[in-house]
């Protein structure tokens, strides 16, 4: 394109129209400047992410407190993070409480409370408390470093439309150059125009037939949409992924860790005296490391119920746990086999409640004292908040859900998931979070990972929801489809200008300066059509 413009300017000067040639180069340069400015706005995301990394941090290593450069921070170091400081590496809080602004990474504007055991992501901002946190990943492998790497990768990989237009750019420009002498010859020898007039029209044709607007139409849109999505916490690894999402009409969800929180939660307690039953259950289960046991203990803590003291606790494999109360009575918590072993039985109300919990997919725990059943509890992997709204958002965006909702499959091995993805109506998106989801994520037309997922899942996916908020997926689909519509409009407009103005230029109805204005104006117009997407929210 640069060659076409320079040749056109030289051609204009060769027939005494140096002023027109100067106007051409001025407007072409102005157009490029506007494009660079506009596209630079979408590429600032990487620079902004880089700026989130502090130069270093105060650490404690081997009992010695000191400040060190970012690259010197090691796994196991203690970060000493004060209010207002950026967190330099992924770490886990070991002392103190605070609130953290995670919006640079997740797009979530509300501060997130952090207590002992909570995870801190690099690049986030400590707000109001001093904490000590143990580094769990080196700076080069942190959340922020991975995010920067993914953004760099995203801006180098191109969509199918971008690849196609770039592939044809050079042959098209060559065709235009070869057409110029043919146009000149036709006008001069067949049309009877003077040499200067024929050459002038040929130069004007070369300008208006240049594919500037065609080539810039797609990247202007894709980069703008990707930047808008990243600002909302949805990271596309490439514009090809953005284009693929626009065509998806089937979404397969992994359940554990995606639709659910991968965290067992006490969902229901059925007992004549629920606080007493929960206190006894918590006292028993405090002696177990099983996830169901920990869910019951956690529920008692959240409700302010003190666990009942028990002694001589003993786990019974495949059954549950039993112990002695302070009165010497045998207390127990477990499954129906343990209840039968203790000679206890359910009341009709308890039996009905147990059946309801089993029908809901909850794991059940029976609590008893001696031969008496005190209550029945249901424990389940809790759904992620807002999952119903997320599914509704996908339906509104025109996506039909297939797995995990209207249809589900259970007890699937990785190879089973891979096979089922191949059987679903394409194009299909797969959402997952675990190592066992990685093959299916890679096999699907589009893989979507939640930010809380494993490194393998995130690396295998094409899109990452940094907040692990499934509500963002519906917004991302709408953004991708608007981007596709904008690309189609831009290409139609750009080709339309060429097809309309080129014959007029050959016929002598469009002087060179006006041809330049039409050409460069069209180029700037399609860029700003793409920039509109920067304001969109997912």
């Amino acid at each position: 394109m640069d060659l076409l413009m320079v040749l056109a300017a030289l051609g204009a000067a060769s027939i005494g129209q140096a002023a027109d040639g100067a106007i051409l180069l001025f407007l072409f340069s102005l157009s490029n400047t506007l494009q660079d400015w506009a596209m630079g706005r979408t590429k600032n995301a990487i620079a902004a992410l880089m700026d989130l990394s502090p130069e270093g941090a105060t650490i404690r290593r081997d009992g010695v407190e000191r400040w060190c450069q970012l690259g010197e921070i090691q796994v196991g170091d203690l970060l000493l993070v004060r209010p207002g400081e950026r967190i330099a590496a992924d770490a886990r809080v070991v002392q103190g409480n605070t609130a953290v602004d995670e919006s640079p990474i997740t797009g979530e504007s509300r501060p997130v409370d952090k207590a002992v055991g909570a995870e801190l992501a690099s690049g986030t901002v400590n707000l109001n408390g001093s904490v000590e946190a143990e580094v769990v990943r080196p700076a080069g492998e942190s959340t922020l470093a991975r995010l920067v790497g993914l953004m760099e990768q995203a801006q180098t990989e191109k969509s199918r439309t971008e690849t196609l237009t770039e592939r044809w750019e050079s042959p098209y420009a060559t065709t235009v150059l070869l057409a110029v002498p043919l146009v000149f010859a036709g006008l001069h020898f067949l049309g009877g125009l003077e040499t200067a007039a024929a050459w002038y029209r040929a130069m004007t044709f070369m300008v208006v037939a240049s594919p500037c607007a065609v080539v810039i139409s797609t990247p202007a849109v894709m980069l703008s949409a990707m930047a808008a999505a990243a600002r909302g916490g949805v990271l596309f690894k490439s514009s090809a992924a953005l284009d693929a999402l626009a065509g998806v009409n089937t979404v397969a969800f992994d359940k554990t860790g995606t639709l659910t929180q991968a965290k067992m939660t006490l969902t229901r307690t059925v007992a004549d005296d629920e606080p007493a039953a929960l206190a006894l259950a918590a006292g028993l289960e405090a002696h177990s490391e099983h996830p169901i046991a920990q869910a019951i203990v956690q529920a008692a803590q959240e409700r302010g119920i003190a666990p009942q003291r028990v002694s001589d606790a003993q786990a019974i494999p495949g059954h549950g746990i039993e112990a002695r109360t302070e009165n010497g009575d045998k207390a127990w918590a477990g499954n129906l086999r343990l209840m039968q072993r203790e000679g206890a039985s359910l009341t009709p109300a308890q039996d009905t409640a147990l059946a309801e919990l089993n029908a809901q997919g909850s794991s059940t725990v029976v609590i008893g004292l001696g031969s008496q059943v005190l209550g029945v509890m249901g424990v389940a992997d809790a759904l992620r908040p807002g999952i119903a709204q997320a599914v509704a958002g996908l339906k509104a965006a025109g996506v039909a859900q297939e797995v995990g909702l209207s249809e589900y499959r259970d007890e699937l091995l990785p190879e089973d998931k891979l096979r089922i993805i191949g059987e679903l109506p394409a194009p299909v998106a797969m959402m997952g979070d675990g190592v066992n989801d990685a093959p299916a994520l890679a096999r699907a037309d589009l893989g979507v990972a939640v930010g809380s997922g494993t490194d393998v899942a995130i690396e295998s996916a094409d899109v990452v929801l940094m907040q692990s908020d499934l509500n963002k997926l519906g917004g991302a689909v709408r953004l991708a489809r608007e981007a596709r519509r904008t690309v189609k409009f831009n290409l139609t407009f750009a080709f339309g200008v060429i097809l309309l103005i080129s014959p007029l230029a050959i016929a002598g109805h469009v002087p060179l300066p006006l041809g330049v204005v039409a050409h460069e104006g069209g180029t700037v117009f399609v860029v700003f059509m793409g920039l509109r997407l920067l304001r969109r929210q997912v």
Side-chain angles (χ1 to χ4, degrees):
M1 292 185 295
D2 292 346
L3 176 62
L4 291 177
M5 296 301 103
V6 171
L7 290 177
L10 291 176
S14 70
I15 56 175
Q17 302 293 332
D20 287 354
I23 292 173
L24 165 61
L25 293 181
F26 170 74
L27 291 177
F28 181 61
S29 300
L30 177 62
S31 173
N32 282 341
T33 300
L34 290 174
Q35 288 178 47
D36 290 342
W37 170 79
M39 301 301 287
R41 291 187 60 185
T42 68
K43 293 182 179 179
N44 284 340
I46 288 182
L49 287 173
M50 290 292 213
D51 291 340
L52 295 179
S53 293
E55 294 183 1
T58 302
I59 68 166
R60 182 179 295 127
R61 184 185 300 165
D62 299 327
V64 179
E65 183 176 323
R66 68 185 183 91
W67 190 90
C68 70
Q69 295 284 342
L70 190 65
E72 299 175 5
I73 298 176
Q74 301 176 6
V75 174
D77 286 344
L78 284 181
L79 288 180
L80 309 181
V81 189
R82 299 177 178 83
E85 292 184 345
R86 285 198 182 275
I87 296 163
D90 289 357
R92 182 179 297 107
V93 177
V94 297
Q95 183 175 330
N97 295 274
T98 189
V100 173
D101 176 9
E102 295 187 338
S103 59
I105 300 297
T106 66
E108 175 58 58
S109 59
R110 291 178 298 179
V112 180
D113 293 330
K114 301 290 184 178
V116 173
E119 300 286 339
L120 301 178
S122 57
T124 57
V125 181
N126 183 30
L127 295 178
N128 56 16
S130 295
V131 294
E132 294 186 12
E134 182 181 2
V135 176
V136 295
R137 293 188 188 90
E141 300 175 10
S142 67
T143 299
L144 183 59
R146 287 160 52 204
L147 188 55
V148 171
L150 291 175
M151 284 295 292
E152 290 175 335
Q153 177 185 350
Q155 295 193 349
T156 58
E157 294 190 11
K158 305 180 186 301
S159 70
R160 182 174 52 187
T161 307
E162 282 180 281
T163 303
L164 184 63
T165 54
E166 290 187 0
R167 184 185 305 159
W168 284 99
E169 176 187 357
S170 181
Y172 179 86
T174 302
T175 301
V176 172
L177 285 173
L178 293 176
V180 168
L182 296 177
V183 170
F184 168 74
L187 291 172
H188 179 56
F189 296 108
L190 300 179
L193 283 181
E194 295 181 0
T195 301
W199 188 243
Y200 184 85
R201 291 190 191 183
M203 292 299 99
T204 305
F205 164 77
M206 184 163 62
V207 170
V208 299
S210 179
C212 297
V214 174
V215 173
I216 203 67
S217 290
T218 304
V221 174
M222 291 300 183
L223 289 178
S224 295
M226 288 162 60
R231 189 171 60 245
V234 179
L235 183 62
F236 287 93
K237 293 187 180 180
S238 67
S239 54
L242 180 70
D243 188 50
L245 183 60
V248 163
N249 56 29
T250 304
V251 179
F253 293 93
D254 170 59
K255 180 180 76 70
T256 305
T258 305
L259 295 178
T260 66
Q261 302 180 46
K263 177 182 178 183
M264 302 301 286
T265 305
L266 179 63
T267 58
R268 186 180 175 190
T269 301
V270 180
D272 293 335
D273 187 346
E274 290 188 14
L278 182 54
L280 178 59
L284 289 164
E285 302 292 14
H287 297 276
S288 172
E289 295 298 324
H290 194 281
I292 292 178
Q294 294 304 304
I296 293 173
V297 173
Q298 180 69 26
Q301 292 175 348
E302 292 173 352
R303 300 174 193 182
I305 297 176
Q308 183 174 333
R309 289 180 176 273
V310 296
S311 59
D312 301 327
Q314 181 179 359
I316 304 173
H319 291 71
I321 190 169
E322 64 180 20
R324 293 285 177 180
T325 66
E326 292 179 328
N327 297 330
D329 297 326
K330 181 188 286 188
W332 48 270
N335 54 27
L336 290 176
R337 291 191 297 273
L338 180 59
M339 179 192 73
Q340 294 166 356
R341 171 175 165 168
E342 299 298 332
S345 60
L346 298 170
T347 66
Q350 291 168 343
D351 188 50
T352 301
L354 190 70
E356 290 175 352
L357 290 169
N358 287 329
Q360 295 167 1
S362 297
S363 298
T364 55
V365 178
V366 183
I367 309 300
L369 192 63
S371 60
Q372 180 185 6
V373 174
L374 299 182
V376 176
M377 294 181 173
V379 178
D381 188 359
L383 289 173
R384 286 188 181 274
I387 186 62
Q389 294 90 326
V391 173
L394 283 172
K395 289 181 178 179
V399 176
Q401 73 291 346
E402 290 290 337
V403 174
L405 299 167
S406 59
E407 179 182 340
Y408 70 92
R409 318 282 177 86
D410 56 9
E411 299 183 3
L412 298 179
L413 297 174
E415 54 267 31
D416 297 322
K417 294 182 180 181
L418 192 63
R419 173 181 53 79
I420 291 172
I421 288 296
E423 296 172 353
L424 291 173
V428 58
M430 165 71 186
M431 176 175 283
D433 75 314
V435 173
N436 63 338
D437 298 321
L441 289 170
R443 168 66 177 81
D445 298 286
L446 187 81
V448 183
V450 293
S452 58
T454 62
D455 290 350
V456 175
I458 291 174
E459 290 300 322
S460 301
D462 305 293
V463 183
V464 181
L465 305 183
M466 296 305 296
Q467 289 177 245
S468 302
D469 181 0
L470 270 64
N471 282 297
K472 297 288 186 180
L473 186 56
V477 171
R478 288 189 292 272
L479 177 64
R481 292 185 173 177
E482 183 174 2
R484 174 177 281 188
R485 288 193 299 269
T486 305
V487 167
K488 290 180 178 179
F489 173 83
N490 278 357
L491 290 174
T492 301
F493 176 83
F495 279 117
V497 169
I498 292 174
L499 294 175
L500 176 65
I501 303 299
S502 294
L504 294 177
I506 294 174
H509 298 305
V510 178
L512 182 59
L514 184 59
V516 172
V517 170
H519 175 267
E520 301 305 330
T523 302
V524 174
F525 176 75
V526 297
V527 169
F528 279 98
M529 284 297 292
L531 281 181
R532 293 182 310 113
L533 299 183
L534 283 173
R535 298 182 178 180
R536 297 293 187 268
Q537 295 183 344
V538 296

